[in-house]
Amino acid sequence: HGTPTQGGYSTDMTVHQRFAFKVPEGMPLEVAGPLCCAGITTYSPLSRHVKGKKDQHVGVVGFGGLGMMAVKIAKAMGAKVTIFSRSNAKKGEAAALGAELVATSEPEAVGALARSVDTIIDTVSDFHDIGLLISTLKPVTGTLVLLGGVLKPYELPAFGLLFSGTRVEGSLIGGCDLTQ
């Protein structure tokens, strides 16, 4: 009360138990930290749409911090993973994680995935064309989940959504219960 907390430089702090998480014994804090941020942000929609389902194909847009975590979690859930990236520059990194990488700068490569992806986790926080991504979703059950906060409104292909029955949703973070 009234004392600066020093944020990440604190050596200790007191919080209500509702906001504290038990870290498994033996797990280094540098591993636990990212799980409480990028981990839960990507785990939350994957737990809703992929966890416990067979033969899932997950698309991940963006292969930075959130994207890398989404790939790892989706693979751990047994899904086939395709990364949508602007170029093929990270193809080796994708393969090392057991994922395929498709460059969105190559429309024919993206087109080859038409109606084949169950869930897309879009981690990009800058405006980009989501119409091409939506075309890769499976009819009726396909879902595009937006995680990146983009200020400019997206243009949605209304007829593409109407005729295919695919969905677009947003997801912010998973909450305390899901994090634990």
Side-chain angles (χ1 to χ4, degrees):
H1 294 99
T3 310
T5 64
Q6 304 300 319
Y9 298 103
S10 296
T11 56
D12 55 75
M13 61 187 284
T14 303
V15 297
H16 189 281
Q17 66 185 10
R18 193 171 77 210
F19 302 110
F21 303 104
K22 184 175 181 167
V23 176
E25 193 171 320
M27 178 182 276
L29 293 180
E30 61 271 14
V31 172
L35 293 175
C36 291
C37 188
I40 189 58
T41 300
T42 55
Y43 176 80
S44 179
L46 288 168
S47 71
R48 287 193 306 274
H49 298 292
V50 178
K51 186 179 177 184
K53 297 178 182 175
K54 293 182 130 198
D55 303 318
Q56 292 293 293
H57 185 180
V58 173
V60 176
V61 186
F63 197 37
L66 283 174
M68 178 107 31
M69 188 67 77
V71 169
K72 290 177 180 181
I73 292 172
K75 290 297 293 179
M77 290 179 175
K80 172 185 175 183
V81 178
T82 300
I83 299 162
F84 294 97
S85 190
R86 289 178 295 188
S87 73
N88 287 310
K90 296 182 180 179
K91 211 167 196 137
E93 290 177 61
L97 293 176
E100 175 189 8
L101 186 139
V102 173
T104 55
S105 59
E106 300 173 5
E108 65 285 347
V110 178
L113 294 170
R115 301 178 141 222
S116 69
V117 181
D118 294 288
T119 303
I120 297 175
I121 305 296
D122 188 337
T123 69
V124 176
S125 59
D126 195 19
F127 184 82
H128 56 286
D129 179 14
I130 62 173
L132 190 59
L133 298 170
I134 290 171
S135 72
T136 68
L137 290 169
K138 285 184 178 176
V140 182
T141 58
T143 304
L144 169 63
V145 183
L146 301 173
L147 299 184
V150 177
L151 296 176
K152 182 179 176 184
Y154 284 114
E155 293 183 19
L156 292 173
F159 281 108
L161 292 171
L162 292 171
F163 289 122
S164 68
T166 53
R167 296 178 297 274
V168 177
E169 67 179 48
S171 185
L172 186 59
I173 197 160
C176 292
D177 290 340
L178 196 57
T179 302
Q180 191 60 65

